[in-house]
Amino acid sequence: MAVTHETQLKVSHLNMAFGGVQALWEVSFEVKKGEIFSIIGPNGAGKTVLLNCINGLYHPQQGHIFFEGKDISRARPHRRARMGISRTFQKIELFKGTTVLDNIRLGRHIHLKTGLISGAIYLGKTAREEIEHRDFIEREIIDLLEIEHIRDKIVGMLPYGLQKRVELARALALNPKIILLDEPLAGLNLEEVEDMARFILDINEEERWQTTCVLVEHDMGVIMDISHRVMALNFGEKIAEGLPIEVQKNPNVIKAYLGE
């Protein structure tokens, strides 16, 4: 997807504290529609806290978050999901005792139109809706992420790298406009990292998806290869923002990672 000049996500003067710990301080940035916008920084820089604020798990003490021009600063997570904001987590958050397919289907729940009673009867419109959602999952997601061979496997029995794919699949089941990816490459081997980077590019570039990505990641090689722009945080403050090569060479970023 070509990056546009349209601002899809805007974070303005965000402040978040836990007791006496200032996790975010006056953080502001914009994400353009169609971007892969990456957030980097040392451990404890506030990256995951920032994603939690964007998708509504945390409510910052000060500042505003706008999505497609609407102030969502106080919106609950399910409302943000309905607007098209999806999320993966640093620690895998899957239902380990159920199948891959059932985990992915959970990501479609906000698109369901049938109620509890009609769902229990499972006839007519309800059955057709279920078939449509399953077809979307099979055709658009399982094929894209190359997980056909594990679709009926119990998630908890799968290797870590495949569980990462399943979590990405569930996030895509929402059919998001923007997806927040919290360290999707962490714990993966080299081959799995290459696959995941390719999937992120496909999600961003393929005509079917064309999804804006906000990526939190430590793998600087991948960040340099796939990001349109990068922002660096340190101790909750923004210390740099710009093109990947500009941020990589920024003295404040070098100092944050390597010290004096």
Side-chain angles (χ1 to χ4, degrees), residues 82 84 99 166 171 182 210 237:
R82 288 188 182 279
T99 67
V166 175
D182 195 354
Q210 298 190 347
E237 295 188 60

Side-chain angles (χ1 to χ4, degrees), residues 22-175:
Q22 192 72 43
L24 296 173
W25 176 251
E26 289 293 307
V27 175
S28 298
F29 63 94
E30 296 182 3
V31 178
K32 304 298 182 182
K33 187 174 183 179
E35 275 192 308
I36 297 178
F37 183 89
S38 293
I39 303 170
I40 64 171
N43 290 330
K47 304 181 297 296
T48 295
V49 174
L50 179 56
L51 292 193
N52 287 342
C53 290
I54 294 172
N55 87 308
L57 291 180
Y58 295 162
H59 292 294
Q61 283 86 16
Q62 289 180 297
H64 295 274
I65 301 169
F66 300 90
F67 181 65
E68 297 187 338
K70 298 179 181 178
D71 191 338
I72 62 169
S73 306
R74 294 292 175 260
R76 295 178 67 84
H78 71 273
R79 286 196 58 199
R80 302 188 198 201
R82 288 188 182 279
M83 295 176 71
I85 301 175
S86 189
R87 170 78 189 274
T88 67
F89 292 87
Q90 187 175 344
K91 284 185 63 179
I92 295 174
E93 300 287 348
L94 294 170
F95 293 92
K96 300 293 184 72
T98 59
T99 67
V100 167
L101 185 58
D102 284 340
N103 269 273
I104 300 172
R105 287 169 62 195
L106 286 170
R108 296 293 296 170
H109 75 281
I110 66 168
H111 297 292
L112 293 174
K113 297 182 175 62
T114 53
L116 180 63
I117 296 176
S118 58
I121 298 173
Y122 195 70
L123 292 172
K125 181 180 178 182
T126 303
R128 289 194 298 272
E129 185 180 47
E130 170 68 18
I131 292 170
E132 289 173 3
H133 287 308
R134 186 179 288 246
D135 181 64
F136 173 83
I137 291 169
E138 298 276 5
R139 177 169 40 85
E140 303 291 352
I141 299 175
I142 288 179
D143 284 352
L144 173 72
L145 300 182
E146 301 171 5
I147 51 176
E148 168 65 30
H149 62 295
I150 61 166
R151 61 189 296 283
D152 296 316
K153 301 289 186 181
I154 299 298
V155 166
M157 303 299 290
L158 295 174
Y160 183 80
L162 288 177
Q163 290 189 35
K164 281 275 194 177
R165 286 198 209 182
V166 175
E167 187 170 49
L168 177 58
R170 186 178 61 186
L172 288 176
L174 191 142
N175 201 15

